[in-house]
Amino acid sequence: MALCQQKLGFSYLLILCLTTVVSSHNRPFTIPTVTRLTDSFPLVPVDQAFSKAFGASNIQFLRNGSTATLALDKVSGSGLVSQRRYNYGFFSAAIKLPSGLSPGVVVAFYLSNADKFPHNHDEIDIEILGHDKRNDWVIQTNVYANGSVSTGREEKFYFWFDPTQQYHHYSILWNSYHTVFLVDNVPVREFIHSNTHPSIYPSKPMSVYATIWDGSEWATNGGKYPVNYKYAPFVVSLAQIELSGCISDPSAPVSSCSKVNPSAQDPVNGPEFIKLSQQQVAAMDWARRKLMFYSYCKDRPRFKVMPPECH
């Protein structure tokens, strides 16, 4: 643990200029200017992109399927799974988190193939961890490959906004060059393929998941604060779904989206997406300096030998 459709080049990208000062944890931030990747890919209704994975009675499709709500109550959490698998792609959802106290609650938007590869699965995670009376929601990113769950590659960030007040975009760009995690189009983390061992980089087709569940054992202060069901149900809202990339077709002898020789029109694995722009790098540096409070690469007590990408 979190479509070969219309293909648009960077020439269609719009620039988001955010100069408003906002506050998180009583600290003012000026948000950097970023390119809106979410404007580059088509939207798909939630009920066309996903099927119900678990907790069906806690899932509602609204507004002709353009939005959905997932709930966690004392009986069950709930989750959606994409109707297709992808070799790579750009995956994004606008999410509004539950308001009020939410210790132990986990909202996740992620890619996984654990159902097909239970012993050597890949996973790319955005997990949003509930808060107690003193701390706000936080976002955790993680990457697994080939079942390497014992070596989590977690990085955690504070938000620069209140994620319960309105929808915000949470996005994953995954291709053969790198995996990028973005919040409101601001890159917060880049996991570069060439910087690590090939067996550590996710490479098998994955489905996309959106879930809410009880993570009491670990989610808030290491499990110190479990879910308090007095405040249930905890309801998360989803909208503005984007699932663009190479659809995995096991019946096809050759992939329709070659990862070896991508064309210039490829929306995710083409040359425009090989690396972050200078603007994106600057924005990511801002997020990591101002908002990251944990990185596995700095956790020396945890690792006798640091992972290769940390050097």
Side-chain angles (χ1 to χ4, degrees):
M1 264 59 46
L3 306 174
C4 293
Q5 297 185 22
Q6 176 184 358
K7 301 181 178 182
L8 301 176
F10 271 139
S11 59
Y12 289 89
L13 293 175
L14 299 177
I15 302 302
L16 173 66
C17 297
L18 293 177
T19 57
T20 304
V21 175
V22 297
S23 178
S24 175
H25 301 272
N26 299 316
R27 295 177 294 174
F29 295 113
T30 301
I31 313 305
T33 300
V34 289
T35 300
R36 287 184 56 90
L37 285 183
T38 52
D39 289 344
S40 301
F41 302 99
L43 299 176
V44 58
V46 185
D47 63 349
Q48 293 182 23
F50 291 98
S51 299
K52 296 179 180 180
F54 65 94
S57 62
N58 281 350
I59 299 172
Q60 289 187 314
F61 294 119
L62 307 170
R63 299 178 182 175
N64 296 319
S66 63
T67 66
T69 60
L70 310 180
L72 166 68
D73 58 26
K74 198 168 185 178
V75 176
S76 174
S78 52
L80 300 172
V81 59
S82 61
Q83 297 183 12
R84 295 176 174 179
R85 297 178 185 272
Y86 300 86
N87 291 313
Y88 58 82
F90 180 81
F91 312 99
S92 184
I95 300 175
K96 183 180 178 182
L97 298 180
S99 59
L101 294 178
S102 53
V105 177
V106 178
V107 173
F109 182 70
Y110 67 103
L111 286 76
S112 177
N113 49 32
D115 58 328
K116 290 292 185 181
F117 304 96
H119 302 296
N120 63 331
H121 82 282
D122 303 326
E123 195 167 309
I124 300 172
D125 296 335
I126 291 177
E127 295 172 317
I128 311 171
L129 312 182
H131 68 93
D132 57 31
K133 294 181 180 179
R134 295 170 294 175
N135 299 297
D136 292 337
W137 287 87
V138 299
I139 182 170
Q140 174 174 283
T141 65
N142 209 345
V143 178
Y144 298 116
N146 293 304
S148 60
V149 294
S150 61
T151 309
R153 288 172 163 76
E154 303 94 342
E155 290 190 339
K156 296 183 180 182
F157 303 81
Y158 294 118
F159 287 104
W160 57 93
F161 52 80
D162 183 344
T164 70
Q165 293 301 304
Q166 60 187 22
Y167 287 92
H168 292 272
H169 289 99
Y170 302 84
S171 311
I172 296 170
L173 169 63
W174 166 52
N175 60 29
S176 59
Y177 306 108
H178 56 182
T179 297
V180 183
F181 300 85
L182 307 99
V183 179
D184 279 349
N185 291 288
V186 175
V188 298
R189 179 181 183 182
E190 181 185 28
F191 191 72
I192 301 174
H193 191 178
S194 61
N195 285 358
T196 191
H197 193 277
S199 65
I200 295 172
Y201 195 81
S203 60
K204 299 186 289 294
M206 290 191 279
S207 300
V208 185
Y209 292 83
T211 62
I212 184 170
W213 48 283
D214 186 331
S216 293
E217 293 184 359
W218 64 273
T220 305
N221 291 63
K224 183 177 180 180
Y225 301 104
V227 174
N228 187 341
Y229 284 101
K230 179 177 69 174
Y231 300 103
F234 303 94
V235 180
V236 60
S237 300
L238 305 174
Q240 299 181 37
I241 301 299
E242 299 174 58
L243 307 179
S244 291
C246 179
I247 299 170
S248 174
D249 182 0
S251 65
V254 179
S255 171
S256 61
C257 309
S258 172
K259 296 169 70 172
V260 178
N261 296 302
S263 68
Q265 290 74 41
D266 191 314
V268 177
N269 221 35
E272 301 95 335
F273 293 89
I274 291 176
K275 62 181 181 179
L276 298 178
S277 68
Q278 291 183 345
Q279 180 194 67
Q280 290 171 318
V281 170
M284 183 172 68
D285 178 68
W286 169 84
R288 297 178 72 80
R289 285 187 295 104
K290 298 289 188 180
L291 300 161
M292 186 173 73
F293 66 93
Y294 175 83
S295 173
Y296 71 105
C297 282
K298 300 183 183 298
D299 195 344
R300 295 195 175 277
R302 179 180 173 189
F303 296 99
K304 292 183 180 179
V305 178
M306 297 304 294
E309 67 274 10
C310 294
H311 299 291

